[in-house]
Amino acid sequence: MKSKQLFVSLVLVITAVFLLLACTADNTKQLLAESYQKMTNDDLLRYYYRLNDEIESQEKQSGPQVGIGIGGFGRHTGGGVGVSSGGTGYTATELRERRIDVRMELKKRGLTP
């Protein structure tokens, strides 16, 4: 019975991680899909700041996190405590490259963010 409970817990954790990563990836893909060369000056500045915000949110180091869980499977009940150090360890390389391109476009147009 313990192996079934462990398996179900593992599947739930893996699913949660994939959902979190999918949400982050969608926002990144949406930002990278936009054509910054065709934007007006105001829109380009807004886009530059949105890129900065997304890079910061993806690379932000959060504080320690503690989670407590209680659950049951059949006639058995179990509990657990989890501690993580925070931070994703993810670097937004594609977003950083796009930010450089946008910065160059801003410089061509004589704009300073």
Side-chain angles (χ1 to χ4, degrees), residues 8-107:
V8 170
S9 298
L10 184 62
V11 168
L12 290 174
V13 168
I14 290 171
T15 303
V17 168
F18 280 121
L19 287 173
L20 180 64
L21 291 175
C23 292
T24 301
D26 287 343
N27 201 15
T28 298
K29 287 179 185 177
Q30 182 183 12
L31 276 172
L32 293 174
E34 294 186 38
S35 177
Y36 66 90
Q37 293 96 345
K38 298 177 183 178
M39 293 180 182
T40 64
N41 291 346
D42 290 339
D43 289 339
L44 188 62
L45 282 169
R46 284 187 191 97
Y47 181 66
Y48 178 79
Y49 289 118
R50 283 185 12 227
L51 283 171
N52 279 338
D53 292 344
E54 184 64 21
I55 291 168
E56 183 179 317
S57 72
Q58 288 185 13
E59 295 181 347
K60 184 178 180 181
Q61 293 290 324
S62 61
Q65 299 172 351
V66 177
I68 299 173
I70 299 173
F73 191 76
R75 296 181 304 169
H76 303 284
T77 303
V81 176
V83 179
S84 72
S85 62
T88 60
Y90 174 77
T91 56
T93 306
E94 292 175 328
L95 291 172
R96 288 181 177 281
E97 290 170 0
R98 175 59 64 97
R99 184 174 61 181
I100 291 169
D101 294 339
V102 170
R103 186 73 189 245
M104 298 300 284
E105 182 69 24
L106 286 167
K107 187 175 180 180

